[in-house]
Amino acid sequence: MNRAGMLISLVALPLAALPLATAPLWAAPGPASQPSSREIVLQLGRRTISLRDNGKLISSWPVAIGSPGTPTPLGRFVVQNKVINPKYQSTKSGKINATVGPNSPLGDRWLGFQQSGPNQYGIHGTPAAWSWTVSSRSAVTNGCVRMLHEHVRKLFDLVEVGTPVIVQR
């Protein structure tokens, strides 16, 4: 949730100016799944994301969240789609960033949870150049939730489409 259209532009733009991702071109809503006993809980004030199963904590990780001008939405959502190696398309220019994998603006995992017009908020990885935003728990994104690669990969593997996503203050 928060990248520029071209890799060169990413380096030149301040992090807060990076646009919200369009709904991934490759990410149609996933098939309906069985009700999950698992839930993802994002605590904006603590800037942590946790995975719980029947209320029991499985794991918790640091995250970067939306800036005050482009906040991460509050509420109850569900994982709408899961994508390995997502492609980013700029909402401002419409250009598709050809970079995929760990060095792409979205990293190599995407968990989309809230559609807003053509844009989608999601939980995703972050390029190494921006990993400091996660380790410092910054509020710099355009609403998406950034995680370190190893963390988002683990979360991705432990949840399914339909898993509740609860975003709290």
Side-chain angles (χ1 to χ4, degrees), residues 58-165:
I58 294 175
S59 197
S60 186
W61 305 277
V63 295
I65 61 169
S67 71
T70 55
T72 303
L74 291 167
R76 271 189 88 77
F77 311 98
V78 297
V79 173
Q80 296 176 347
N81 50 47
K82 294 175 57 173
V83 182
I84 296 175
N85 292 323
K87 288 188 179 180
Y88 171 75
Q89 181 176 11
S90 171
T91 56
K92 289 186 179 182
S93 69
K95 292 182 181 178
I96 297 172
N97 185 318
T99 305
V100 294
N103 293 320
S104 80
L106 301 176
D108 60 7
R109 298 292 186 276
W110 171 270
L111 295 161
F113 68 86
Q114 169 64 14
Q115 197 73 30
S116 178
N119 301 318
Q120 185 175 39
Y121 293 95
I123 302 163
H124 61 82
T126 193
W130 298 346
S131 64
W132 67 270
T133 66
V134 176
S135 58
S136 66
R137 301 173 191 239
S138 298
V140 295
T141 77
N142 277 327
C144 282
V145 181
R146 289 186 196 154
M147 297 179 73
L148 297 176
H149 291 307
E150 60 271 19
H151 299 162
V152 74
R153 289 173 187 151
K154 183 172 182 179
L155 179 62
F156 186 96
D157 290 343
L158 293 171
V159 301
E160 300 299 329
V161 168
T163 300
V165 177

Side-chain angles (χ1 to χ4, degrees), residues 36-41 50-59 164 166:
S36 176
S37 62
R38 293 187 172 176
E39 63 185 8
I40 298 168
V41 179
S50 302
L51 180 62
R52 298 180 184 166
D53 192 350
N54 286 318
K56 183 178 177 186
L57 180 66
I58 294 175
S59 197
I166 302 156

